[in-house]
Amino acid sequence: MRKKTSIALLSAGHACVDVYQGAVAALVPLFVAERAYTYAAASGIVLAASLLSSVAQPLFGVLTDRFAMPWLLPVSTLLSGAGIALSGLSGHYALTLVFVALAGIGVAAYHPESARLAREASAGSHTAMAWFSTGGNIGFALAPLLVAALSGLNRTPLLLIPALAGAAAALPVLHALRPKGSTAKTSTAGRDDIPSFLRLTVAVVFRSITFVGLSTFIALYAQQRLDGSPAAGTAALFVLYLGGVGGSLLGGSAADRWGRVAVSRWAYAMAVLAVAGVVWAPGPALYLFVALTSAGLYVPFSLQITLGQDFLPSRVGTASGITLGLTVSIGGLAGPAIGALADATSLRTALTPLILMPAVSWLMFRTLRDPGARTAA
């Protein structure tokens, strides 16, 4: 199988899995409307998906550094889909948390191994890895549209369809990469730069807080700020996710010219201003700033994956589990605090601290140096 075909199938599978990360936030307005959940209770659902994913993701990364487990791709995809499919069927809050948590475990199991295989298939190309990351961003972007098409929580079993497609897309890739994937580890050339990786991880964490905080509440915030219709909220969430499609590709091509660290630094600086616009800009200008925020947060997305892998060349799975998986999961840990503040004050007040989060990521990138140029596609 050609490299481009493998990357295309891995990107498609990544899209199918990340539908379920995006679906958690997209389901929040339905939980609020149909079950009368408070902001704090609704954000607890996001926390359930994020908490287990955040804890489990590095553990799966460690495992994939020791053992090649390509079978995780179809199995974890199906687990993610099953969890979200069942989440809308039970009116009991505890069961909803359990099902969403299962989806989080599936997502956690998927990302480290898929990133390892993508690195192997891409031969270190920035552009190829950007396409792999873009697949996940497309899944995020499709999630609010798919959830909106359900017209109610009782139809969430239909969301199992992307999981079936993603599992099917993984099978030919596993067959093609089987000879190369038989060893437990990828290349261990080079020394681990743990201090740089830790600074990168801090940047990833604060990026995640910004992204997950906005994705959890942007639909409700847009409804409040604009005409109050669910369509206004769905559109805002769609724009937030869709901007990542172009952002990852732009980041990959820009890094080939100016370097991963410099491009990421510029993107985070822009994100500070963009998030401020989301919180404070009047009227429909909200959508413009949501798009700019999405681009600012997603330009570094694939670059952080390859930087992490280069900072930890002997532990590619661990690096992938943290930089790829935690980027879109650990921010959920801050969700209940944001929700509680929103219940006590207002959504605008609760979202205002998010303006500072990309600034922390920018500061971390100010201290990083690119460990070396990657092979261009």
Side-chain angles (χ1 to χ4, degrees), residues 14 17 29 31 37 41 52 57 65 91 108 112 142 144 182-183 192 244 249 268 281 284 299 324 347 354 364-365 374:
H14 195 187
V17 167
F31 286 124
Y37 289 166
L52 280 178
Q57 201 124 211
D65 282 332
L142 290 176
S182 59
T183 61
D192 291 343
L249 294 177
Y268 280 126
V299 162
L324 176 59
L347 265 179
L354 296 182
M364 292 299 102
F365 268 90
R374 305 291 300 171

Side-chain angles (χ1 to χ4, degrees), residues 231-259:
T234 298
L237 189 59
F238 176 69
V239 170
L240 179 65
Y241 291 162
L242 184 64
V245 176
S248 288
L249 294 177
L250 176 62
S253 59
D256 286 332
R257 182 170 182 179
W258 292 295

Side-chain angles (χ1 to χ4, degrees), residues 17 21 49 52-64 67 69-80 101-117 317 320-321 324-325 329:
V17 167
Q21 294 208 82
L52 280 178
S53 183
S54 299
V55 172
Q57 201 124 211
L59 297 179
F60 279 109
V62 171
L63 286 174
T64 58
F67 311 102
M69 297 187 290
W71 54 267
L72 275 177
L73 269 64
V75 171
S76 60
T77 301
L78 293 173
L79 181 61
S80 301
L102 287 176
I105 293 175
V107 169
Y110 176 86
H111 281 102
E113 183 67 2
S114 66
R116 183 187 70 81
L117 291 174
S320 302
L324 176 59
S329 64

Side-chain angles (χ1 to χ4, degrees), residues 29-231:
L30 290 180
F31 286 124
V32 171
E34 296 187 22
R35 299 182 182 173
Y37 289 166
T38 64
Y39 291 142
S43 62
I45 294 172
V46 180
L47 173 64
S50 300
L51 184 60
L52 280 178
S53 183
S54 299
V55 172
Q57 201 124 211
L59 297 179
F60 279 109
V62 171
L63 286 174
T64 58
D65 282 332
R66 297 189 62 186
F67 311 102
M69 297 187 290
W71 54 267
L72 275 177
L73 269 64
V75 171
S76 60
T77 301
L78 293 173
L79 181 61
S80 301
I84 295 300
L86 293 171
S87 66
L89 297 184
S90 172
H92 198 285
Y93 186 69
L95 276 178
T96 301
L97 295 179
V98 169
F99 291 138
V100 171
L102 287 176
I105 293 175
V107 169
Y110 176 86
H111 281 102
E113 183 67 2
S114 66
R116 183 187 70 81
L117 291 174
R119 180 184 175 96
E120 182 178 322
S122 68
S125 165
H126 284 323
T127 305
M129 286 299 291
W131 277 108
F132 169 71
S133 299
T134 298
N137 302 336
I138 291 172
F140 265 106
L142 290 176
L145 302 182
L146 295 175
V147 170
L150 297 178
S151 302
L153 293 174
N154 62 323
R155 296 186 179 181
T156 54
L158 292 173
L159 292 176
L160 188 60
I161 294 174
L164 298 174
L171 296 179
V173 178
L174 304 189
H175 178 74
L177 297 180
R178 184 179 300 164
K180 296 180 181 179
S182 59
T183 61
K185 291 187 177 182
T186 55
S187 173
T188 58
R191 297 179 59 185
D192 291 343
D193 184 352
I194 294 178
S196 292
F197 183 77
L198 291 177
R199 292 196 293 274
L200 176 67
T201 300
V202 173
V204 166
V205 167
F206 280 88
R207 184 264 184 204
S208 181
I209 293 172
T210 310
F211 179 78
V212 179
L214 285 176
S215 64
T216 301
F217 295 108
I218 193 65
L220 294 169
Y221 189 56
Q223 289 182 42
Q224 289 183 5
R225 290 275 305 279
L226 300 173
D227 60 8
S229 73

